[in-house]
Structure formats: C-alpha cells, structure tokens
Amino acid sequence: AGPAAGAGKSAPRSAEAGPGPALAKSASPARRPAAKATSRSAAPKSPRRKAAPKSEAEPDAEAIVLPTVSPRSGPLATALNGVMPLRGRLSSTLKRRGMSKVGEVLFFFPRSYEDRRRLVPIGQLRPGERGFSAGKVTRIQEPFTGRRRMLRVVLSDGKGSIAATWYKFWPSMRDRYQPGQRWLFAGEVRVFGGHWEIVHPEMEPDDEQGRRAAGLGEIVPVYPGLERGEQRGFRLLARAVVDRFADEIEDPVPPEFLRRAGLPPLARAVRAAHLPGPEVLAAESAPAPAQRRLAFDELFFIELGMALRRRGVDELPGIGFDAGPERLGEALGLLPFAPTAAQRRALGEIAADMGRPSPMNRLLQGDVGSGKTAVAGVAAELAIRGGYQAALLAPTEVLAEQHLRTLSGWFEARGRSVTLLTASVPTRAKRAAKAALACGEIDLLVGTHAMLQEDVAFGRLGLVIVDEQHRFGVLQRAALVQKGVHPDVLVMTATPIPRTLAMALYGDLDVSVLDELPPGRTPVETRVFPRRQRDEAYRLVAEQVAQGRQAFVVYPLVEESEKLDLASATEGAAELTARFSSWRVGLLHGRMKADEKDAVMSAFRARELDVLVSTTVIEVGVDVPNATVMVVESAERFGLSQLHQLRGRVGRGGGRAWCLLVAALQGEAATARLAVMERTTDGFVIADEDLRLRGPGEFLGTRQSGLPPLLVADFARDADLLEIAREEALRLVEKDPHLEAPEHAGLRRAIEERWGERLELTRIG
Ligand code: ADP
Ligand code: MG
C-alpha cells in the first residue's frame, strides 16, 4: 500500500465536514472578510522556494492573504491606532492587509530574518542573497525599460558599486537621492543584464536615526506579503505591540502538551518571532524552539479542527445501508470483470462505512487507470439497492461523459436509470432530468458543476461521489452533500498525496488506496529527451502511428496566458501536420466550446485522428485504449505528480506504452527531477519527491483546500510536529469531544479564531 494507506487505516472514522455539534452551536464566530479566508499560496515562507527575486520586489497584492489570528475580545482585540499613531504608508499597509487589532499583528509572523548586525562591504554582497550594505550615491539614472522608465541609483563604497533599482517609482523618490549622500540599503542582490542590483530595496540615510530605523546591529524580521518599503513601518509597529502586549497572550495549548513536545510557552515564542535573536539564523532545516512552537500551533489547530469535524460528523444521523458481504457480492455483479484485490479491499472498507449509521467520509486514492470508476459504480449500486439515489460529480464535461458512458453500460443492463447533467445538456433535457431526479426516477446522476445549482433537487440522495476531488472547493462539495440528508460521501483522487500532507489535508477523511493496476496493464515506459533530441521522440511516435496506434501530444498550460497556450499547441499541431503529412492531427484546447471538444475527442476515440495535440485542459482520466504514446512538450514546466497523471492516459490498452518528456533542461537539478519519472511508476514516490523539491503548493489545490494558511510550519520539514499535533488533537477530542471542559476554554476560543467560518461551514455532513 502507498504511504497514505496507513494514515487512513489507523484513523478513526471521519467526515466530510463539521465540528462537533457543540462547537457549531456556540456563538457564531465573527465572520471574517472574505479576503482573509483564502489560500496560503501567497505567503511564501521559505525564501529557498521562491522562484525569482522579482516576487519580493513586486508582491502580488491580489494574492495576499492574512494568515493571522483575529481575537474578538480581551486585550489582544485592542485597536492598533491606540498603540501608536498610524499614518501614511503604514496605515495603508494595515488597511490593505485588513489588520486593525493588536492580536492580528502579534500573530502575523515574519517569513524570514535578515542579519543586520553589521554592514557588508558592497564587494562582498552575493547575488541571490539578501544584503545589508552602505554606500555613497555616485549616479542617478532613469533608463527606459520597454515602455517604462525605471530609477537607478548607483551606490559605491570605494571598493565596489551596485545599483538600487526601482521599476515603479514616484518623482519625489528621485529627488530623495543626491550624489555624494551616504545611504544604508537592504534587499535581495541580483545580477541583471551585467549589472549588480538590488530591486526595490529598503533605504535609510546613513545617519544615527537611519541606522536605528534600518536595524543596524540587529537581526531584523521580514514580513510576508509586504513590500520592501513597508517593512520598516510594520517592524516598528510589531515591536511596539510586542513590548506592550506579548505578556497578555494566553497560551491556549495545555502545558502538558508542551511538556511532552518540549516546546516553549506561546508568549515567549511570539516575542522571539518579532524580536529575534541569532538563533533564528540557524539552518532553515533546524528551526529554533520558538519557531517550532509557532509551527506546532499552526499544525495543532489544523489537526484539532479535523478531529472535531470528524467527531462532529460521526455524531450525525446518517444512513445505515444494508451493505453486508452478501449485498456487496451482489453489487459486484455490476462489473463486467473481476475486481482487483485492491478494488475488493477498498470496496470492503466502503461497504463497512456505508453499513454504519453515521455518514461515510472516505477518500479513494489511486493512480490513473487503477479502476476508481468501477469502485464508485459498485458503491453507487449499494446505495441504489438500498432505495437511494447516487450522484457522481466530475470536474470536466469530457470526464463526466466518459463516466456516463462506462456507468450507463453497466447500470442499464440492470434496469437502473443513469442520467447526465452538464452545462451543455440542452435546456429541455435538463428540465426533464431535474424533474425525474426530484421524484426519484433517476438512480444515478453523473455530471459537472451544473448539478450543484440550487434548482437541482434529489428525491433521496444517499451517496455523493466526487471525482478528482481536489478540483472542487469545500463549498462545492458541501453544496452537493447538502442536497441529501447526511448522505455518505466518497471522494476520489488520482493525485497521490504524501503521507504527511494527506494527514493535514484529509485528516478528517478515512483513506482507501488502490495500489494495483487491473490485469494486462504494463507500466508506461518513460524517457526524457533534451530539446535537441526532440526528433527522436517523434520518430517513436511515427513508428506507433505507422502501426495504427494513436498518440497524445501535450503542451503545458501557462496560467497567466491562455493565449500563449493556445499559440504553442496550435503551432505544435501545424508543425506536425507539415512534417508528417500522412498524420491526421487534431487539436484540443481550453478555449474550445464543449461541443467542439467533444467532437474532437470523439473523433480521436473513433480513430479518425492519429495524433491529438492538446493543452493540459484534457486532464486525467480520458480513456483511449489505442493510444500508446504520449509526448509532453516543455515537460520541465510540469510538476512530477502532474506528469505522472498525464502519462496515465496511455497504456490503457494492455500493450507497451511510452511517455516521452521533451524538456529544456537547465542544470542538473532539472535533469534529476525528470529522471525520477524514468525511474519509478509509483505515484507515492513521485509525490514525495515533488513535496521535497517543489514544496506543498503542488498538492494543496491552493484556494480549494479549505485549510487555514500556514506561515511558520512546513509540511515537509515539520513532519514530526505534525505527527505529534495529530496525536494530541485526537487524544483531546477523544476525552472532550466538544471542548467543554473549563480548562479547554482557551483552546476552543483559539480554534474558533483560527478557523473562523471554516469550522461552521463544515457542519454540513
Ligand atoms: P481510474 O478512474 O482509476 O483512472 P478507471 O476506473 O477509468 O480508472 O479504469 C481504467 C480502465 O480499467 C477502465 O477501462 C476500466 O473499465 C478498467 N478496469 C477497471 N477495473 C478493472 C478490473 N478489475 N479488471 C479489468 N479492467 C478493469
Ligand atoms: Mg477516473
């Protein structure tokens, strides 16, 4: 079994959602502004993983989140303007970040630290690192870059020189700098177009006041999501707030937990975060105790939230289906093939859940092609036999239709009615489907987002199945679940998730794993081709096409620019048509209408096309057994897990199959990363590698995970803390399921402050 299997099996029963009813009943937590409850993706806590210095100079205001705690009462709810006068830049910073209370500043932790204990000579600055230095202004320039003017202030200390550079500036900034003046400056050093520069640095005049403001002689915190120019003001505010309020922090975590985990009290950890000592400069892999304490809290409250949800759903009255071994045996008759051992095991777990009166909340993980649809079908059959309806939600129309094709074949043979509901179903058919659904005539509804709409009502919804669940937000899942009365929920994913992350993301779910491919499948042979050997890859494609086989060619999706994707895929298709005149080449991209996509997909499936060029919009799960080879262009731009999913699209026919990764490889790291794909077909190994190399972003589905953002903790580095946090949370909820004990009042308040409405939202189960 994959590593995540253990996580699930040892876990108690769980649920889609919902804190303990007791918590849910409590005074409704103050709603946070929507901007606060978004993803964590915008708060890069680890400079190591940041792509370019650019991200520091130009933080993306849109993406900024507020990973902090918002106290509702007590001293920490004191308004910030009572602490010090908030003017100018600082005031706009706070407004933009939605911060108005003392506690919000206390719990907004630095992303990193800078050693400003001494000035570094300009000649000793190093590109890619942060520097703190001083120099005399020698030149002021305003060169044009593209359409815009930029400001360059060249500073020299006699031995070396470097340019402070602004891509955005006000005329008044130019006037601040005069040749001959000495300035202190700090920021990330880079070499750009042959120039040494610091983009958008923090600048202070080199006088006594400036030295103090810059933090000369100190170790200085750098806060996430704030521009360089905003750091100083925020730093001073944080210092004032800590001085006055750190001692007011109540530690919500029971002392015996801290003793067991060897962690310092919260007030001390918060103080150390904002007023750091040299210990914070230790290797990032070995955080100081104070940092570990803060990381622990982040993880602990996630785990506690999960444990409460799980407990809460357990207490809900669900449906106890008749799903004993005999019934399961009958339901298995649905399938035209014998289930694999893994499918049998997963179905055993699912049937056991369905048989219990509390709602099932299970995650089914399995590589593409491992047979999740078959498992879903049998689960649906169990529900239908019990007199209920089942719903299968898919992320795209292509996938919904594919599911429909498979499932209606199986179900209609048994006289069950299966219906499709997507945006492109004609209005009249849609209306008929809704009517039939509401009066219970439809047994299984397969569809996309369209089925989440308010006017879609089920007569008796008993089982909700969500395919590729990471593509849906918590709210979307909840919308479907709410259409029944505590139905059972099965979510499926083809993205193997590293064990540590699975715990954090799905700690409230039970997990089943399909770790075996159906018989006759051979693993896809994967090879990496540097760009200059691209022709070799296509030679292999040509061989396959000549034998009557079909091929996929996949181009990456460039998030920022749909146009670019389209261009690269379109060009790719044109190039292949020109080079291989006998090939019938089709093109599929995200901008096509649903019926156009369908037409192309159907043509490919019917072998009217030899090669299908697509952007990644086509995604996982598409089933064309005759396709034996896939070329991935610009493979270096994909995450490993994504590549792993993509290659699952070939090799569905039983013969040999190839995945050819054409990549512009720069450096050993990139080469080594893709080589992992050649070495293994184990999705979990690949997932772990992805986590190690690219951080958790790949798996989090960012906005969709519904978890509070993390500032200090790191899922990979702090795996041990996560484990401890999880154990403590489970033990606690076991003892005090609704956190009613007086000694847990602080914990209860803390979790409400952190999870806010997300806890409430999860009540629906
Ligand atoms: P997934 O959804 O996990 O990617 P599917 O459910 O689409 O996988 O299954 C992939 C293919 O394997 C389908 O064509 C399916 O009919 C077939 N299949 C699934 N389970 C078995 C089995 N036990 N024996 C033979 N074929 C199977
Ligand atoms: Mg599938």
Side-chain angles (χ1 to χ4, degrees):
K9 280 180 203 136
S10 62
R13 273 186 50 79
S14 69
E16 165 76 5
L23 263 185
K25 263 187 265 143
S26 75
S28 167
R31 299 260 162 189
R32 295 206 202 168
K36 295 183 183 179
T38 47
S39 83
R40 78 193 61 184
S41 62
K45 58 189 174 303
S46 145
R48 176 168 46 94
R49 288 209 185 97
K50 280 190 320 174
K54 198 168 160 237
S55 60
E56 183 169 5
E58 301 161 27
D60 171 11
E62 276 301 300
I64 282 170
V65 294
L66 185 69
T68 185
V69 171
S70 188
R72 278 177 237 136
S73 58
L76 301 192
T78 304
L80 286 169
N81 56 19
V83 179
M84 63 187 262
L86 307 176
R87 283 194 222 99
R89 190 95 196 253
L90 178 59
S91 153
S92 68
T93 304
L94 295 172
K95 197 168 290 162
R96 185 162 58 83
R97 302 296 317 244
M99 288 181 171
S100 62
K101 296 176 197 166
V102 158
E104 289 165 347
V105 169
L106 280 180
F107 288 93
F108 182 63
F109 300 118
R111 171 189 70 213
S112 55
Y113 297 93
E114 282 181 20
D115 187 355
R116 298 198 187 163
R117 285 174 296 183
R118 58 181 200 93
L119 289 166
V120 178
I122 292 175
Q124 288 175 24
L125 294 174
R126 282 205 242 127
E129 289 181 8
R130 297 228 186 81
F132 179 49
S133 201
K136 225 179 231 157
V137 175
T138 58
R139 255 181 327 213
I140 300 159
Q141 305 167 322
E142 291 180 61
F144 270 104
T145 53
R147 258 175 293 141
R148 259 204 246 148
R149 224 178 245 291
M150 60 187 275
L151 175 62
R152 288 169 57 87
V153 175
V154 181
L155 297 142
S156 164
D157 63 3
K159 293 223 179 95
S161 74
I162 190 164
T165 325
W166 289 267
Y167 288 88
K168 267 189 315 195
F169 68 101
W170 295 268
S172 64
M173 280 172 63
R174 183 184 43 216
D175 301 335
R176 280 179 77 190
Y177 303 101
Q178 305 293 335
Q181 281 176 339
R182 271 185 66 86
W183 287 83
L184 304 174
F185 57 93
E188 195 148 349
V189 178
R190 68 173 189 181
V191 183
F192 188 71
H195 294 285
W196 283 64
E197 62 177 24
I198 296 197
V199 181
H200 293 199
E202 207 180 315
M203 305 277 297
E204 295 290 345
D206 189 6
D207 55 25
E208 199 177 326
Q209 201 188 340
R211 287 177 166 234
R212 203 166 341 109
L216 180 60
E218 296 166 19
I219 288 157
V220 162
V222 180
Y223 292 89
L226 304 187
E227 286 176 43
R228 271 275 154 195
E230 296 179 307
Q231 295 288 348
R232 179 174 78 110
F234 193 86
R235 220 156 54 217
L236 296 177
L237 174 68
R239 186 175 300 185
V241 165
V242 168
D243 278 342
R244 274 184 54 190
F245 291 93
D247 292 335
E248 306 282 353
I249 295 175
E250 284 173 41
D251 200 330
V253 177
E256 70 268 22
F257 289 22
L258 299 177
R259 226 176 11 251
R260 280 197 287 267
L263 295 167
L266 184 58
R268 200 198 304 166
V270 170
R271 189 184 287 275
H274 297 286
L275 307 176
E279 73 283 354
V280 295
L281 300 175
E284 195 181 341
S285 56
Q291 287 170 296
R292 270 176 66 84
R293 167 63 210 266
L294 301 179
F296 174 82
D297 278 25
E298 284 186 321
L299 299 170
F300 176 67
F301 285 107
I302 288 174
E303 293 307 309
L304 185 55
M306 295 282 180
L308 288 167
R309 275 186 186 188
R310 161 182 285 175
R311 180 73 192 206
V313 174
D314 251 4
E315 292 177 358
L316 292 172
I319 307 160
F321 286 103
D322 178 2
E326 205 173 307
R327 274 295 138 85
L328 178 57
E330 287 164 22
L332 277 168
L334 182 79
L335 304 178
F337 39 71
T340 63
Q343 283 170 323
R344 211 177 265 286
R345 191 180 58 230
L347 276 166
E349 290 159 359
I350 289 167
D353 283 0
M354 289 181 71
R356 272 184 221 120
S358 48
M360 163 166 84
N361 216 26
R362 186 167 283 276
L363 171 68
L364 178 62
Q365 282 198 56
D367 270 351
V368 173
S370 58
K372 293 184 293 297
T373 315
V375 171
V378 174
E381 173 65 6
L382 280 174
I384 296 167
R385 285 185 156 238
Y388 282 82
Q389 293 166 298
L392 171 58
L393 176 63
T396 65
E397 300 210 352
V398 173
L399 288 177
E401 284 161 22
Q402 187 173 292
H403 282 316
L404 182 85
R405 246 190 318 277
T406 310
L407 295 169
S408 56
W410 299 341
F411 277 100
E412 278 161 13
R414 303 194 143 200
R416 310 262 187 245
S417 81
V418 184
T419 298
L420 182 73
L421 187 62
T422 64
S424 50
V425 169
T427 313
R428 190 178 306 162
K430 231 184 254 169
R431 206 177 302 139
K434 284 178 199 167
L437 192 65
C439 66
E441 278 167 23
I442 291 171
D443 296 311
L444 172 60
L445 185 71
V446 178
T448 53
H449 297 80
M451 70 161 80
L452 305 179
Q453 243 125 60
E454 246 169 64
D455 63 344
V456 176
F458 289 77
R460 233 178 150 218
L461 179 60
L463 174 67
V464 165
I465 303 164
V466 181
D467 191 19
E468 296 307 329
Q469 67 86 32
H470 62 280
R471 304 278 297 271
F472 296 96
V474 180
L475 282 171
Q476 290 172 312
R477 273 183 282 158
L480 185 52
V481 168
Q482 263 177 314
K483 292 181 188 293
V485 181
H486 310 313
D488 282 340
V489 177
L490 177 67
V491 296
M492 311 197 288
T493 182
T495 312
I497 295 159
R499 182 183 138 77
T500 47
L501 270 187
M503 258 198 248
L505 291 177
Y506 304 120
D508 56 339
L509 300 179
D510 294 316
V511 181
S512 296
V513 176
L514 296 182
D515 51 3
E516 178 185 0
L517 294 180
R521 280 284 151 78
T522 45
V524 178
E525 294 169 42
T526 301
R527 282 181 60 191
V528 179
F529 294 87
R531 273 201 75 81
R532 63 194 139 75
Q533 290 168 23
R534 185 163 170 264
D535 285 354
E536 272 180 51
Y538 283 98
R539 217 167 293 144
L540 215 153
V541 175
E543 272 173 37
Q544 288 296 300
V545 172
Q547 291 172 29
R549 300 305 197 153
Q550 289 164 284
F552 290 103
V553 176
V554 180
Y555 281 84
L557 198 75
V558 187
E559 290 267 336
E560 313 86 61
S561 164
E562 251 180 81
K563 265 198 203 122
L564 265 183
D565 301 337
L566 186 55
S568 56
T570 310
E571 271 167 35
E575 181 207 332
L576 294 182
T577 311
R579 272 179 59 189
F580 302 93
S581 51
S582 63
W583 290 4
R584 295 162 302 171
V585 178
L587 176 64
L588 200 57
H589 59 76
R591 293 193 155 191
M592 289 162 72
K593 295 213 186 71
D595 54 342
E596 295 170 335
K597 282 189 213 166
D598 277 0
V600 174
M601 226 27 246
S602 311
F604 189 62
R605 209 177 272 117
R607 303 195 189 185
E608 288 157 17
L609 297 171
D610 301 302
V611 177
L612 183 63
V613 178
S614 70
T615 55
T616 45
V617 289
I618 310 316
E619 292 286 344
V620 295
V622 173
D623 203 359
V624 180
N626 192 47
T628 50
V629 55
M630 166 178 289
V631 178
V632 181
E633 294 277 0
S634 305
E636 76 282 359
R637 291 214 242 148
F638 291 85
L640 297 181
S641 297
Q642 221 181 340
L643 288 173
H644 181 62
Q645 288 203 349
L646 281 171
R647 75 177 164 189
R649 285 204 239 153
V650 291
R652 304 194 141 221
R656 281 180 80 183
W658 293 267
C659 176
L660 313 175
L661 306 175
V662 178
L665 295 173
Q666 282 168 343
E668 266 171 58
T671 312
R673 194 171 78 86
L674 286 181
V676 173
M677 299 300 298
E678 296 181 319
R679 255 195 336 264
T680 181
T681 53
D682 182 333
F684 287 101
V685 172
I686 289 166
D688 280 335
E689 201 70 6
D690 244 2
L691 178 64
R692 207 168 58 76
L693 296 172
R694 303 197 4 150
E698 201 77 358
F699 303 97
L700 296 178
T702 55
R703 252 149 254 276
Q704 314 210 329
S705 69
L707 290 181
L710 290 185
L711 251 193
V712 187
D714 179 314
F715 284 122
R717 181 197 65 197
D718 299 324
D720 63 322
L721 279 180
L722 183 63
E723 199 107 25
I724 297 170
R726 178 182 162 82
E727 274 166 29
E728 295 289 2
L730 288 174
R731 193 163 3 173
L732 177 69
V733 171
E734 186 68 27
K735 243 179 28 200
D736 184 6
H738 306 132
L739 302 187
E740 283 162 337
E743 70 271 25
H744 295 150
L747 269 179
R748 185 185 160 122
R749 196 165 48 243
I751 195 164
E752 282 171 3
E753 285 171 357
R754 278 160 202 261
W755 279 72
E757 62 186 6
R758 278 173 295 236
L759 254 192
E760 262 208 311
L761 171 171
T762 56
R763 214 139 43 97
I764 320 126

